[in-house]
Amino acid sequence: MAGMTTLPAKSIVACILLFSACQNIYPQAAEKSPNALTQVQIQGLVQKSREKIQAMLKREIYLPGMAVALVSADGVLWTEGFGYRDKTRREKVDTNTLFGLLSASKTLTVTALMVAVQEGLIDLDVPIRTYLPDFHIQTRFADDPMAKITIRNLLSMTSGLTHDAPVGNNADPYTPSYEDHILSIGRTWLRFRTGERAEYSNLGIELAAYILEKVTHTSFPEYAQKKIFGPLGMARTTYDLKRVRGEENRATGNHRIVEHVPFENPYVASGCVYASIADMARFIQFQLQGGTVQGRTIIKKPILEQMRKIPFPVKDQVAGYCMGLWVGYYHLGGHDVRWFAHGGGGFGFQCQMKWLPELGYGAMVMSNSQDQYNGNEKLVEDLLQDIVTLTTGKKDLGASDWLSRYVQSRSVDSAYLPTGLDGRYNGTNEDFWFLVKDGQFGYASGPLFVPLSPVSPDEFASDHYLFRFVRDAEGRAMSVVGPYDGMAWVMGSRKDEAAGPGKQEWKKYTGTYIRKRYGVCQKFYIVAIENG
């Protein structure tokens, strides 16, 4: 098979005896944790994953190749390349083939930034004006953003910054220079007050890395290479797109609509890392080992744990964005298994990495296509859920297990009907329209009505999710949050909404807009004035 890894010489005999057909599976260390998988179980997981990947490559139209890794805290268990580097299907993927990580770059970037915190170069909790005295961000709020936003806000998506920069972004990557890209962030407007909630943004991590450049007077890629990639032996990992462009063994991104996907990604810190699956296996093992490599501490555990905690959780929040990482749990009926993850997608690539710090296992899948019916996230998810079942004897019950425990403290009658919560609430990826229908409170899901069960006067549950409504001092609904994962939706329009000012100058902005990506039309938007 393409991309098989090479085993250490002293392990070859033992491995041949156990796995004559799976030479690219690494042997586990002799000392095993109580939850350690057996060699037979590892072989079974690998074979199952191989079959899924091979079937996927056969049926997918726009997916040339993939690379996969299975890792334990004790060592790399399996890495392998599948398929081809590009749509010509000539050169095969191996374990050293470079793939774009896109947003998974954020995990590597924040890891390097935490080393800078450890070294005292930056402080997570001082206003960013300390580092960028001449930088400005637009706002409609009274407070000066530069005096409120901290690096912790930037890394945890709680700064209020919007998602993309005007110059150099996911839709139009072309930019005169990195400096122009960064400076254009100052033309953006805050979406919400700093610390009010978390909403995903590329710009926070871009600014944090730029701050470190100003402090160290060196490029952030050089700092990351010196502090993370070098010590971990990640020789096939880089932010340097010039190096990637000249690399023979690299995958090319593919998109079903865009014939030639742009190579240049303007997001250095938050999206342009290229890496091999062999290198990413080392990175995941480093995370599983708590910030150490070969007995050498790169990041002290208290510093690493800051990266792994949700900095500004809402009440009762379990899952959500930490700093450069998503955190969540597999719920096993009263027993919870923690996971950390980050994915990436864009510029013709997709990837997903995830690990279980307490059980000591992790996995990653990378591919060179944005268009997959059964993508990387599911492949990683299936693999790790199998590991959870094998090591604990239990299956994941999902968030409904947490919810069943939470709603035991129900404080209202099941027939309780709220007032003043009707309306459309706007979120980052989806909107919710809450309404009362036939004496029940719920929300619209397409053409269907989904009833909700009351838990408290302002909390309502579906079968697997809890909505908590937030009111202002006058008792009017302002927003709704999900205590489980901190997701938030802001009231956009209510039934009793007063008419707006209907300013004449607004008319010049009305009309039909086309959203393009790489010059190709993707979606239409209509901007109109309603109710003033």
Side-chain angles (χ1 to χ4, degrees):
M1 289 185 181
M4 288 188 176
T5 56
T6 303
L7 290 169
K10 65 181 181 180
S11 303
I12 291 177
V13 175
C15 211
I16 288 175
L17 291 173
L18 288 168
F19 304 118
S20 59
C22 301
Q23 294 98 323
N24 59 334
I25 302 176
Y26 292 80
Q28 280 189 295
E31 185 178 343
K32 298 179 181 179
S33 70
N35 295 318
L37 296 168
T38 67
Q39 297 282 19
V40 172
Q41 288 172 328
I42 294 169
Q43 183 182 22
L45 291 170
V46 169
Q47 185 58 31
K48 186 176 179 181
S49 296
R50 275 187 177 139
E51 291 171 359
K52 288 181 180 179
I53 292 170
Q54 289 163 347
M56 187 175 174
L57 288 171
K58 283 182 180 179
R59 68 171 179 265
E60 295 283 346
I61 299 173
Y62 306 102
L63 175 60
M66 305 178 75
V68 61
L70 176 61
V71 183
S72 80
D74 298 325
V76 178
L77 304 177
W78 171 49
T79 58
E80 190 165 351
F82 296 83
Y84 300 89
R85 298 179 201 163
D86 61 35
K87 59 186 177 184
T88 66
R89 300 180 187 270
R90 294 172 184 163
E91 302 295 333
K92 292 187 176 181
V93 171
D94 60 36
T95 58
N96 287 315
T97 301
L98 298 185
F99 284 80
L101 299 189
L102 282 299
S103 282
S105 304
K106 293 178 174 68
T107 307
L108 280 67
T109 293
V110 176
T111 301
L113 287 168
M114 296 310 287
V115 174
V117 171
Q118 180 173 271
E119 293 179 339
L121 296 174
I122 55 175
D123 187 319
L124 292 173
D125 297 311
V126 303
I128 60 175
R129 169 167 286 160
T130 306
Y131 304 105
L132 302 174
D134 299 325
F135 202 87
H136 300 281
I137 296 170
Q138 309 301 311
T139 181
R140 59 192 169 94
F141 307 116
D143 298 326
D144 174 16
M146 299 299 293
K148 297 281 290 185
I149 297 172
T150 66
I151 294 178
R152 196 183 298 272
N153 290 128
L154 295 178
L155 302 186
S156 62
M157 311 295 178
T158 58
S159 65
L161 287 168
T162 192
H163 183 59
D164 267 340
V167 176
N169 53 63
N170 281 302
D172 181 14
Y174 307 105
T175 174
S177 70
Y178 175 66
E179 194 76 12
D180 289 328
H181 163 67
I182 291 293
L183 291 178
S184 76
I185 296 173
R187 289 161 40 197
T188 66
W189 289 70
L190 283 194
R191 297 185 64 192
F192 53 88
R193 290 180 178 85
T194 300
E196 186 178 280
R197 61 183 185 272
E199 287 202 25
Y200 196 79
S201 166
N202 282 320
L203 303 189
I205 288 176
E206 285 287 285
L207 269 185
Y210 181 69
I211 284 170
L212 186 60
E213 287 195 343
K214 292 298 182 183
V215 170
T216 60
H217 304 288
T218 187
S219 74
F220 179 77
E222 288 177 22
Y223 185 86
Q225 174 63 41
K226 181 179 179 181
K227 300 296 182 178
I228 299 296
F229 303 159
L232 270 59
M234 297 171 67
R236 301 281 296 164
T237 303
T238 184
Y239 292 86
D240 185 352
L241 293 183
K242 289 183 180 178
R243 173 187 162 188
V244 176
R245 186 182 285 280
E247 172 63 51
E248 181 181 348
N249 187 7
R250 69 174 174 92
T252 301
N254 293 276
H255 192 289
R256 66 185 177 88
I257 296 175
V258 182
E259 184 176 358
H260 300 291
V261 180
F263 172 74
E264 299 294 340
N265 183 339
Y267 284 112
V268 175
S270 61
C272 87
V273 173
Y274 273 72
S276 69
I277 196 67
D279 273 12
M280 292 307 297
R282 293 186 186 94
F283 180 78
I284 294 172
Q285 185 185 4
F286 161 75
Q287 290 283 346
L288 288 170
Q289 291 179 337
T292 66
V293 56
Q294 296 179 345
R296 176 189 172 192
T297 298
I298 306 299
I299 303 179
K300 295 177 182 178
K301 284 187 178 180
I303 299 292
L304 191 63
E305 281 304 311
Q306 287 192 63
M307 178 180 172
R308 295 175 169 187
K309 289 182 179 178
I310 302 170
F312 308 103
V314 302
K315 182 177 178 291
D316 304 311
Q317 185 174 348
V318 175
Y321 206 80
C322 303
M323 293 194 292
L325 279 174
W326 296 94
V327 65
Y329 292 85
Y330 293 122
H331 300 286
L332 312 180
H335 172 58
D336 300 329
V337 172
R338 186 171 59 155
W339 55 255
F340 295 112
H342 215 301
F347 290 83
F349 292 96
Q350 274 192 28
C351 73
Q352 180 71 14
M353 64 176 167
K354 194 170 190 176
W355 65 88
L356 315 173
E358 281 74 40
L359 295 184
Y361 291 96
M364 185 168 192
V365 176
M366 307 193 296
S367 62
N368 55 350
S369 173
Q370 286 181 247
D371 303 286
Q372 302 168 30
Y373 176 73
N374 201 350
N376 300 347
E377 188 169 352
K378 189 176 188 311
L379 286 166
V380 169
E381 192 67 20
D382 289 349
L383 182 53
L384 290 189
Q385 287 210 22
D386 283 347
I387 289 174
V388 169
T389 301
L390 288 170
T391 56
T392 68
K394 298 179 179 180
K395 289 189 175 182
D396 175 41
L397 302 175
S400 57
D401 179 46
W402 171 87
L403 185 61
S404 66
R405 286 176 267 160
Y406 186 90
V407 299
Q408 290 175 1
S409 58
R410 188 187 302 272
S411 63
V412 293
D413 186 85
S414 59
Y416 169 77
L417 195 63
T419 58
L421 301 183
D422 304 40
R424 181 172 180 168
Y425 296 74
N426 308 128
T428 303
N429 298 314
E430 61 180 340
D431 293 349
F432 274 98
W433 185 272
F434 291 93
L435 66 154
V436 175
K437 183 179 185 296
D438 299 330
Q440 286 186 298
F441 180 68
Y443 66 87
S445 177
L448 303 178
F449 175 73
V450 180
L452 297 172
S453 175
V455 177
S456 73
D458 287 321
E459 292 180 322
F460 299 83
S462 67
D463 291 338
H464 62 277
Y465 202 74
L466 182 71
F467 297 96
R468 178 184 294 156
F469 290 83
V470 180
R471 300 177 186 262
D472 63 16
E474 285 75 39
R476 295 175 301 181
M478 296 171 53
S479 62
V480 59
V481 299
Y484 181 80
D485 55 13
M487 291 292 291
W489 298 265
V490 180
M491 172 65 86
S493 59
R494 49 169 57 90
K495 287 168 56 175
D496 59 348
E497 185 175 38
K503 296 180 179 181
Q504 288 296 313
E505 61 263 34
W506 290 352
K507 289 186 177 180
K508 64 184 178 183
Y509 299 112
T510 62
T512 302
Y513 289 77
I514 299 172
R515 184 179 77 185
K516 294 182 178 180
R517 175 160 292 192
Y518 319 139
V520 177
C521 175
Q522 284 196 313
K523 196 170 184 179
F524 292 92
Y525 293 89
I526 296 175
V527 177
I529 299 172
E530 294 182 7
N531 195 29

